[in-house]
Amino acid sequence: MDEGRSHVRVDGKAKVTGTASYAADFFLQNVAHAAVATSTIARGKIAGFDLGRARRVSGVLSILTYRELADAIRPVKHLMAGGFVNSSALPLGSPEIHYAGQIVALVVAESQESAQEAAAAVRVRYESESPQAVLGEPGENSIPFSDVRSTHKDPRLGDAATAFAAAPVRVDATYRTPIQHHNPIELFGTTCVWDGDRLIVYEASRYLDGVQHGLAAQLGMDPEHIRVLCPFMGGHFGSRLALSQYTAPVAIAAKRLGRPVRYVSTRAQCFTIQNHRPDTQHHVRIGASEQGEFTALIHETEVTSSRFDNFMMEGTDVTAGLYAWRNVETKESLVRVDRNTPGPMRAPPEVPYLFALESAVDEAAERLNIDPVELRRRNDTTVNPVNGKPFVPRLLMECFDAGAKRFGWRNRSGKPPRSMREGDWLVGYGCASSVRPVKRGAAIVRVALDANGRATVATAHHEIGNGIYTVLAMETSERLGIPVEAVTVRLGDTALPPAGISGGSSTTTSLVPALAKACKTLEGELARAAITQSDVLAGMRPDQLRFSPGGSLKAESGITVKISDIMSRMGKTRLETTADAAPPGGDADAVAKLREGKLMLGGTVHSLRWGFGAQFAEVHVHSLTGEIRVPRMTGAFSAGYIVNPLTAISQLRGGMIWGLGSALLEASEMDLRNARYVNDDLANYLLPTAADIGTVDAILLDVDANPDPSDLMGLGELGIIGVNAAIANALFHATGTRFRSLPVRIEETLACVSQLQ
């Protein structure tokens, strides 16, 4: 890791002093305020409304239901089906109720307080039906992914069933992960302002062009007549997936009232008006030889989705390719429930799928009496066992070696479960792999260089908290030879060059290649001009001159020429260029689709380029009370060329802390009778606090400081992956009891330690 390249966030001062403007911060004259009423049933239809009390609230301007908006909003496909919306259930489009918390009315008033009071006074009569809330309920219908989407292929190799039956050592277990919800600090919402037939939308979204094009499709408008702005975002972690249910109704309300309308959700509404991580169930079977060689993997998964959208969270391509399996059989299935459509949540498939696999690998290590790190070493592979393609590179065991050394894994050697104690505390060590396929989308970036040595970088991509303002400033500084402070970065505006979605750890991997291409174009233009203007450079090729610190071009011979002099002779005060970059091996039309707002991610760089990591956790369980503590965690990661180690380490630590929450705290609890979330606030949706967090140590493996943009791999999601399994495995080592369902809470460990007394 090159600490010399670390740089504090260039937008940090604006954020901590409150001068950074988020979507709901923009001051507008004569703003009206909106609030929504949501359904109290999960399945059925609206039989009628009583709006009298709501209309009598002082300051109420309008109340919109499906009756007032009939046919005003056109249907648009879900993002994953080639559309733009996070839910294809038409907002306020009919009396049908698809899930609890569905928007049934939009109230607009002079103040937010009046709007919320009136929304709470909306009364709805329903004709309800019995809903299905979660996996495992009677009557559930499990549908293979391949029946839902013809292009889906379950990874297979050899005859896994026969190999498993013949294996001398076998693991056969079922693992479950719960529903989880994003809870970014910035609440969801939108502000819509009309200027004639043009619409300006202030909305936090990780896919601004999707909001622009999706809203245009819903309202029957030209996308060029819609501008979406989001210069900063207070977190998304997978939420704010695409166009939301509330935006079109707010836009229509603003049009009809002839004034701006702003909607900001309540915390409880965040649980249903955006997406969530679906609950999953994994039946994992591992067969191994007595020497610890994996002979078979069978991984069967069920994942929930809504009744009206097919959100398929595919993950067995990772579990099938992680180790040197000799035989593989996988099957992924979808189970429809009466809830809002789920969506990506940081490391969407890897968090639940790797929890299951890495827990099962730990169980195999225990049955084989082989150290868990050693078992992974014996089954390491340089090629994907399913398709035979080589990994480039694969540094999984290097991560385990670095992490084990820092963590002190050797202190666990030869110590069986329940053998380590500190007073009344049972002590356990656990580990797990972290792995994430590299993704990169198409990107378009505009770079302008002024004669005074200042540069501006512009793209419609968004700052989601990952430090992309800083990354783009640093990369521009490096490539143009100017100080970071001389670079201005403009983001989060559809008037800028179009951007795809911020997801899949693909923001940096997508933008930097396009930025590098733009900088190279500027360098070439200046070099050609310099050669024609200077006798001492005569005969040189443009590629023999490079940007050099101090605002100059430097030739291989050592001759330098000031950029200001070159541009002066060119008669220009500014040079500007726009460059695009498509993902290698991805869609050939990726850039064209991006310009049309039709592209989410351009695909993987190639399927065998993965980021790797190794997670280690020390867990303490009180032998009398069952209390769980995690005094320390260590993660070691290989993620290619790191642009800014300072923010990279911060992201990894944050992911590891989130992984702790995934293992021990986070779950959206359901009222199974009514398919309603019951802990829809930050008091009852449990998240890690400072008191829960011990030492969090993240290591980045040393890599060559090669600024080649093709070496970028993305790391935003690596930090969380495998943490839940490492903690569950440490809990086993501490207590001797396996925990196969998340989260593991004190009631489970209390029952466990009670049996030990």
Side-chain angles (χ1 to χ4, degrees):
M1 183 178 74
D2 184 1
E3 293 288 355
R5 282 183 53 82
S6 289
H7 199 285
V8 298
R9 292 175 182 260
V10 298
D11 54 331
K13 182 178 180 180
K15 287 184 173 180
V16 300
T17 59
T19 58
S21 293
Y22 293 79
D25 294 337
F26 287 88
F27 177 78
L28 300 168
Q29 294 284 352
N30 198 31
V31 177
H33 297 268
V36 299
T38 58
S39 64
T40 57
I41 69 167
R43 187 175 183 180
K45 64 173 54 179
I46 297 171
F49 292 95
D50 180 357
L51 304 178
R53 182 181 169 191
R55 288 189 174 119
R56 289 192 294 271
V57 173
S58 176
V60 168
L61 301 170
S62 176
I63 300 178
L64 301 178
T65 71
Y66 76 90
R67 293 172 175 174
E68 288 74 27
L69 291 185
D71 302 322
I73 301 174
R74 303 177 184 184
V76 175
K77 291 182 180 179
H78 188 271
L79 181 67
M80 300 299 183
F84 300 102
V85 297
N86 69 1
S87 169
S88 64
L90 198 61
L92 297 178
S94 78
E96 300 297 322
I97 298 298
H98 303 285
Y99 54 91
Q102 177 179 322
I103 297 173
V104 296
L106 179 79
V107 178
V108 185
E110 293 288 356
S111 69
Q112 186 171 358
E113 292 79 8
S114 293
Q116 290 175 338
E117 180 184 350
V122 170
R123 296 292 178 263
V124 187
R125 298 189 305 276
Y126 298 103
E127 296 175 359
S128 63
E129 302 176 35
S130 296
Q132 179 168 331
V134 295
L135 282 171
E137 292 191 286
E140 81 170 23
N141 184 18
S142 183
I143 310 166
F145 281 7
S146 55
D147 288 354
V148 178
R149 187 169 65 210
S150 60
T151 56
H152 173 82
K153 302 295 182 185
D154 291 312
R156 292 178 181 270
L157 172 69
D159 185 348
T162 299
F164 177 76
V169 178
R170 288 174 289 185
V171 173
D172 185 339
T174 298
Y175 306 87
R176 297 177 178 85
T177 64
I179 309 162
Q180 295 176 335
H181 273 86
H182 322 82
N183 272 288
I185 295 302
E186 182 187 13
L187 296 167
F188 303 127
T190 190
T191 303
C192 296
V193 187
W194 289 88
D195 181 9
D197 63 349
R198 294 180 178 270
L199 174 62
I200 299 175
V201 180
Y202 300 88
E203 181 166 326
S205 172
R206 63 183 183 128
Y207 189 20
L208 291 195
D209 288 80
V211 173
Q212 178 191 32
H213 287 264
L215 197 55
Q218 284 186 332
L219 301 180
M221 295 177 60
D222 182 342
E224 294 299 317
H225 288 183
I226 298 175
R227 182 182 181 189
V228 187
L229 294 102
C230 172
F232 293 100
M233 191 185 309
H236 80 69
F237 312 111
S239 64
R240 314 185 199 273
L241 171 64
L243 179 61
S244 301
Q245 293 281 291
Y246 45 77
T247 309
V250 171
I252 291 172
K255 183 75 168 179
R256 293 182 181 181
L257 290 171
R259 59 192 288 190
V261 175
R262 172 169 292 156
Y263 164 66
V264 178
S265 73
T266 66
R267 177 59 63 182
Q269 289 165 357
C270 292
F271 282 71
T272 59
I273 62 175
Q274 292 285 6
N275 46 285
H276 59 276
R277 193 193 297 280
D279 40 334
T280 71
Q281 179 171 287
H282 307 261
H283 184 194
V284 179
R285 284 166 281 178
I286 292 177
S289 71
E290 293 178 347
Q291 291 73 40
E293 295 177 346
F294 291 150
T295 59
L297 169 68
I298 303 174
H299 189 167
E300 298 175 317
T301 301
E302 289 184 329
V303 182
T304 58
S305 188
S306 65
R307 293 197 183 275
F308 45 88
D309 286 319
N310 299 321
F311 179 75
M312 300 193 303
M313 192 174 63
E314 300 161 299
T316 56
D317 57 328
V318 174
T319 59
L322 185 51
Y323 298 114
W325 315 107
R326 295 182 185 177
N327 300 274
V328 174
E329 180 181 327
T330 67
K331 181 181 179 181
E332 295 176 282
S333 299
L334 179 150
V335 174
R336 298 201 181 279
V337 292
D338 296 298
R339 302 202 313 260
N340 52 318
T341 301
M345 190 171 184
R346 179 158 285 191
E350 290 85 5
V351 164
Y353 281 73
L354 267 293
F355 165 67
L357 180 70
E358 291 300 285
S359 295
V361 168
D362 198 74
E363 295 201 37
E366 185 250 334
R367 296 186 188 186
L368 288 160
N369 196 26
I370 297 175
D371 179 88
V373 174
E374 175 59 25
L375 180 60
R376 289 171 172 83
R377 191 183 312 279
R378 294 184 189 184
N379 290 280
D380 194 25
T381 176
T382 59
V383 300
N384 186 307
V386 176
N387 58 29
K389 294 182 179 179
F391 289 99
V392 283
R394 180 183 170 98
L395 299 176
L396 177 63
M397 293 318 302
E398 286 83 349
C399 290
F400 268 101
D401 290 341
K405 181 178 180 180
R406 180 79 68 89
F407 182 78
W409 183 257
R410 65 185 181 279
N411 295 330
R412 181 192 192 274
S413 179
K415 296 177 181 177
R418 297 194 299 273
S419 65
M420 297 173 63
R421 295 179 72 104
E422 290 185 9
D424 289 333
W425 294 88
L426 304 170
V427 177
Y429 287 3
C431 68
S433 295
S434 177
V435 58
R436 171 77 181 173
V438 175
K439 293 188 179 295
R440 184 177 136 190
I444 304 173
V445 175
R446 183 168 66 234
V447 178
L449 179 61
D450 296 337
N452 63 5
R454 296 196 63 86
T456 302
V457 182
T459 173
H461 244 292
H462 355 278
E463 164 60 52
I464 62 174
N466 57 349
I468 198 64
Y469 275 106
T470 309
V471 164
L472 293 180
M474 290 177 66
E475 284 294 298
T476 304
S477 165
E478 182 82 10
R479 295 173 191 283
L480 299 185
I482 60 177
V484 171
E485 294 73 22
V487 181
T488 298
V489 180
R490 296 181 60 206
L491 300 173
D493 184 346
T494 54
L496 303 176
I501 198 167
S502 282
S505 300
S506 68
T507 303
T508 302
T509 62
S510 302
L511 291 178
V512 169
L515 172 66
K517 190 175 176 181
C519 291
K520 198 69 177 175
T521 299
L522 290 176
E523 185 179 72
E525 186 174 352
L526 285 166
R528 287 189 293 272
I531 290 170
T532 60
Q533 296 169 5
S534 173
D535 292 338
V536 296
L537 298 176
M540 289 189 181
R541 302 188 313 273
D543 63 0
Q544 292 177 308
L545 279 77
R546 295 284 185 270
F547 280 118
S548 180
S552 62
L553 287 181
K554 185 175 183 179
E556 294 176 351
S557 62
I559 298 172
T560 61
V561 56
K562 288 288 185 181
I563 291 172
S564 57
D565 293 340
I566 302 172
M567 292 179 68
S568 176
R569 291 171 188 151
M570 294 171 71
K572 295 184 177 181
T573 59
R574 164 177 279 214
L575 290 179
E576 182 177 290
T577 188
T578 299
D580 58 63
D587 189 340
D589 299 323
V591 174
K593 289 181 179 179
L594 178 62
R595 295 183 187 279
E596 298 171 4
K598 294 181 179 178
L599 189 70
M600 192 178 74
L601 290 175
T604 56
V605 171
H606 50 77
S607 61
L608 277 302
R609 190 167 177 80
W610 291 4
F612 290 95
Q615 304 278 10
F616 295 85
E618 178 179 336
V619 171
H620 294 186
V621 178
H622 198 279
S623 60
L624 300 176
T625 67
E627 179 185 348
I628 305 170
R629 293 182 181 175
V630 183
R632 61 192 185 100
M633 297 187 293
T634 297
F637 305 95
S638 168
Y641 165 60
I642 304 299
V643 177
N644 188 356
L646 182 65
T647 53
I649 289 292
S650 178
Q651 280 199 73
L652 291 169
R653 287 174 176 161
M656 293 168 69
I657 291 168
W658 193 355
L660 183 153
S662 172
L664 302 178
L665 297 169
E666 282 195 64
S668 300
E669 309 290 352
M670 295 293 297
D671 177 345
L672 300 182
R673 301 164 300 174
N674 301 307
R676 294 178 63 182
Y677 304 117
V678 297
N679 60 333
D680 54 359
D681 55 50
L682 292 183
N684 295 293
Y685 185 88
L686 303 180
L687 295 167
T689 66
D692 300 305
I693 303 163
T695 301
V696 182
D697 186 15
I699 307 166
L700 280 167
L701 265 64
D702 288 334
V703 296
D704 293 335
N706 172 22
D708 182 352
S710 66
D711 195 35
L712 288 167
M713 298 174 68
L715 57 68
E717 292 168 283
L718 267 180
I720 188 177
I721 299 167
V723 177
N724 49 18
I727 289 175
N729 294 337
L731 284 169
F732 167 75
H733 187 235
T735 66
T737 298
R738 284 290 173 189
F739 299 94
R740 300 188 178 99
S741 294
L742 296 181
V744 181
R745 291 181 175 160
I746 193 169
E747 50 265 39
E748 284 84 24
T749 53
L750 181 58
C752 166
V753 297
S754 296
Q755 297 173 5
L756 301 179
Q757 296 172 16

